[in-house]
Amino acid sequence: SGDPGFFGIVRRVRAAGLPVRVLPAVSSVAATFARAGLSWDGAAVVSAHGRDLGPALNACRALPVVAVLTAPGAGAAELGAGLAGWSRRLAVAEQLGTPDERLTWTTPEQAAATVWADPHVVLSLAPDAVPADRIRADNQPAAAPAGGWALPESAYAHRASMITKAEVRALVVARLRPRLGRLLWDVGAGSGSVGIECALLGAAVIAVERDPDAPIRANAARHGVDVRVVAGAAPAALDALPDPDAVFVGGGGTDVLAAVAARRPPRVVAALAALDRVAPAVHLLRAAGYAVEGSQLAAARLADLPGGSLRLAATNPVVVLTGELPEPSAWRKP
């Protein structure tokens, strides 16, 4: 049943040096989309079979169309529980290719409370029809965006220039290491530019912002990414969130940084404009077991002068701190 060369046994048999002749049937993923009557160009296909569930779950959190190959203990119930807070609908395909074949449309909450036949295939879908502009036309549903990242501030709605500048954002995003399968927090998100650019690189993102009028949702829609917005003040707003792989702290004091460090993400990145906060932040992260490095970024941009001359216009200096746990095992999972 299905294609043994697609997350199947062919690779292992060949690695053992055995001769292989493959007689494939319709793959379980193709069958599931067919039973659901859905197109699956632009879909990401991931596996939770024989591996950690986290990356597959984060792919469902990040992308609008994901198919997941499951295993006992890493199936629709566990995915449903992990998708609490994300707007998704699920299609669960059980017993494909048998007389007991069944396709069930459900919510994450209902899936979490149901016992499913193993193994099964889960489709995780944005709740409404996926707009055409959210389906990648380059056959790379989770690759780096063609338009790049570290976009200019004009690419985002923001108020009174309260936005992480492009030069700083370039380093911050590089330090966060976003990719498909990882979950990032953007704390004190403001315009959401850092989290949005991490989402553009395939990561699942939660933006925490106390200002209910912050333009995060509008900016995320503009760039075609799904960022979960949690309205509330940190650190209290962090308590119920799923554990992240990395955190960007763009706002708040040392109490916020301490709450983040207490959750033990493998990597913490903080941007600080006030110099008197740098030493306390470094000491706090080191006391929590993080190895810390930092850089001050002081960019100057070209600006026109009358008569065709040019000058350099300075931006505010910002200190970027990166804290990393000595054994970041969560980054090494498949």
Side-chain angles (χ1 to χ4, degrees):
S1 63
D3 186 347
F6 187 68
F7 289 104
I9 198 173
V10 170
R11 185 185 304 277
R12 181 166 294 184
V13 171
R14 289 183 62 87
L18 299 175
V20 179
R21 181 183 178 203
V22 179
L23 303 175
V26 175
S27 75
S28 57
V29 173
T32 301
F33 277 101
R35 299 296 185 268
L38 296 175
S39 169
W40 59 298
D41 52 300
V45 181
V46 298
S47 178
H49 193 98
R51 62 197 73 193
D52 177 42
L53 177 65
L57 173 59
N58 286 331
C60 295
R61 290 165 169 167
L63 299 179
V65 183
V66 180
V68 184
L69 300 171
T70 69
E78 291 76 17
L79 289 168
L83 286 170
W86 276 264
S87 182
R88 293 290 184 271
R89 58 181 179 138
L90 304 180
V92 183
E94 303 169 275
Q95 307 288 348
L96 283 168
T98 76
D100 297 322
E101 177 179 297
R102 181 175 67 167
L103 181 75
T104 303
W105 289 95
T106 185
T107 65
E109 294 77 14
Q110 292 167 341
T114 302
V115 177
W116 304 94
D118 289 314
H120 48 271
V121 178
V122 177
L123 305 185
S124 171
L125 306 166
D128 302 313
V130 179
D133 61 0
R134 287 199 63 193
I135 297 297
R136 294 282 293 267
D138 55 7
N139 296 323
Q140 300 182 69
W149 52 96
L151 303 174
E153 290 88 82
S154 59
Y156 301 95
H158 55 88
R159 286 172 293 180
S161 296
M162 294 299 292
I163 182 173
T164 303
K165 299 300 187 287
E167 295 86 354
V168 175
R169 205 179 323 123
L171 178 61
V172 165
V173 171
R175 292 288 187 259
L176 290 169
R177 300 178 183 173
R179 66 182 176 110
L180 188 66
R182 290 182 178 166
L183 173 64
L184 278 67
W185 292 354
D186 182 0
V187 181
S191 67
S193 62
V194 169
I196 287 167
E197 297 204 1
C198 289
L200 284 168
L201 292 164
V205 176
I206 299 175
V208 180
E209 173 56 47
R210 65 183 179 182
D211 182 357
D213 296 323
I216 303 169
R217 291 184 177 88
N219 284 328
R222 177 180 180 180
H223 292 281
V225 293
D226 189 354
V227 171
R228 177 182 167 190
V229 180
V230 174
L238 309 178
D239 292 344
L241 302 185
D243 290 334
D245 294 296
V247 179
F248 173 61
V249 180
T254 54
D255 58 335
V256 173
L257 196 59
V260 167
R263 296 293 292 271
R264 312 298 292 163
R267 183 165 281 238
V268 178
V269 180
L272 304 170
L275 290 178
D276 58 340
R277 293 186 175 183
V278 174
V282 170
H283 296 324
L284 186 156
L285 288 172
R286 285 177 175 167
Y290 287 84
V292 182
E293 61 179 37
S295 303
Q296 183 198 58
L297 300 183
R301 298 176 175 179
L302 288 176
D304 291 322
L305 284 172
S309 295
L310 296 172
R311 68 182 181 89
L312 289 174
T315 61
N316 284 337
V318 174
V319 174
V320 176
L321 300 179
T322 303
E324 188 167 11
L325 291 177
E327 295 294 333
S329 58
W331 295 86
R332 300 174 182 171
K333 293 176 181 177

